[in-house]
Amino acid sequence: MTGPPRADNRPPYARIAGHYRDLISSGDLAPGDLLPSIKALATEWNVSTATADRAMRLLREEKLVQGIPGVGTEVMARPISLSSGSERHDRSSKTQSSWGVGEKSSGHTAGIVEAPEDVAHALGISPGDDVIRRSRVYRDDHGIVSHSTSWIHAEFARLLPELARSARLKGGLSLDLIARATGRQVAKRVDEESARIATADDLELLELEPGTTAAILVLTARFLDADGEVLEYGVDLGAPGRTRRTTSEVLR
């Protein structure tokens, strides 16, 4: 049963910025569109001009809009974004879908394989032990966003055989299914980001020409339950040219 909507307790400037951030992300506001003037924003939102200006300043700092003297505040071309596995998990918990705005996934493959050394270390098992490997490619209008792989303890295949089948999961991500079937939910996650020159394997997974020299971001996440046991280890290979961005509110 769905409860009442949560109250938005963000300060007014953050609510205003969030409203226009969502419009830009969804495409309702396109590059080149003008936002209302500071005075118009202050009137519409019943805030001071200083608060309205602070909201626009936040969007400028995030490179979503730019101020043009004598014209106004203009929406900039959106950066080509890259989501992490943790963000996809958060998104799936809320919407039952890991896709970002304009994204789709394809090439879903799965099976039980022998755990490589780095995966075994992350999951706390021995190299060569059986492990579920699930992979897919996320795409948007710009092309491939990332190649994503989930490594999961093989024991979960007995309870949830669909985890080892080469098909898109229904009802959320693997962690959502595991939580509903076992009650073991993610209580903690450990995220790491690194950069490297794409290997031959990376190029193949990202559908790039062999021999291409490209820098990529590698995003990993270990999802742990309340007992500190790793439920899943995720690895995302970001396509070249993608921008990784996080935004945090600073409370004073």
Side-chain angles (χ1 to χ4, degrees):
M1 182 175 179
T2 302
R6 295 180 181 179
D8 190 341
N9 295 319
R10 293 176 297 175
Y13 81 91
R15 291 201 299 271
I16 298 171
H19 172 74
Y20 285 101
R21 186 186 298 115
D22 289 345
L23 290 178
I24 294 169
S25 295
S26 67
D28 289 337
L29 282 175
D33 286 349
L34 293 177
L35 272 60
S37 67
I38 297 298
K39 184 177 180 180
L41 283 171
T43 300
E44 178 184 350
W45 289 81
N46 194 27
V47 297
S48 67
T49 55
T51 295
D53 182 67
R54 185 177 182 185
M56 293 301 99
R57 187 166 66 248
L58 179 59
L59 294 179
R60 289 196 300 271
E61 290 171 355
E62 295 176 8
K63 306 297 183 184
L64 294 176
V65 301
Q66 60 182 342
I68 303 178
V71 176
T73 302
E74 179 188 61
V75 177
M76 298 174 63
R78 286 181 291 167
I80 306 176
S81 62
L82 170 63
S83 296
S84 68
S86 295
E87 289 168 326
R88 296 190 186 283
H89 175 247
D90 289 342
R91 193 180 294 139
S92 180
S93 299
K94 297 174 183 176
T95 68
Q96 296 293 294
S97 174
S98 62
W99 296 336
V101 175
E103 283 187 354
K104 294 293 181 183
S105 58
S106 62
H108 291 259
T109 63
I112 295 179
V113 301
E114 294 183 357
E117 186 172 352
D118 61 325
V119 172
H121 177 74
L123 290 176
I125 59 179
S126 299
D129 283 356
D130 284 348
V131 65
I132 302 170
R133 180 186 187 274
R134 296 191 56 82
S135 66
R136 57 272 186 203
V137 174
Y138 289 96
R139 305 175 189 270
D140 61 14
D141 291 340
H142 300 282
I144 290 181
V145 177
S146 64
H147 181 280
S148 181
T149 304
S150 299
W151 300 91
I152 308 165
H153 289 283
E155 65 190 68
F156 289 119
R158 290 191 290 272
L159 186 62
L160 295 162
E162 60 266 41
L163 292 179
R165 294 177 187 148
S166 294
R168 181 170 176 262
L169 295 174
K170 297 180 180 179
L173 297 177
S174 48
L175 287 165
D176 301 319
L177 272 62
I178 290 171
R180 288 197 290 270
T182 69
R184 296 174 64 183
Q185 301 199 24
V186 177
K188 178 181 179 181
R189 68 190 183 210
V190 180
D191 299 308
E192 293 186 3
E193 299 183 16
S194 60
R196 70 179 183 224
I197 299 300
T199 65
D201 288 341
D202 295 337
L203 294 175
E204 182 178 358
L205 293 174
L206 293 171
E207 300 178 14
L208 298 171
E209 289 293 327
T212 300
T213 300
I216 63 170
L217 276 177
V218 181
L219 313 176
T220 66
R222 288 188 298 131
F223 298 88
L224 292 77
D225 65 12
D227 295 323
E229 296 293 326
V230 179
L231 296 173
E232 182 175 310
Y233 175 57
V235 181
D236 282 272
L237 305 178
R242 292 281 168 171
T243 299
R244 177 86 176 94
R245 170 181 290 158
T246 57
T247 302
S248 302
E249 297 292 341
V250 178
L251 301 180
R252 298 185 183 278

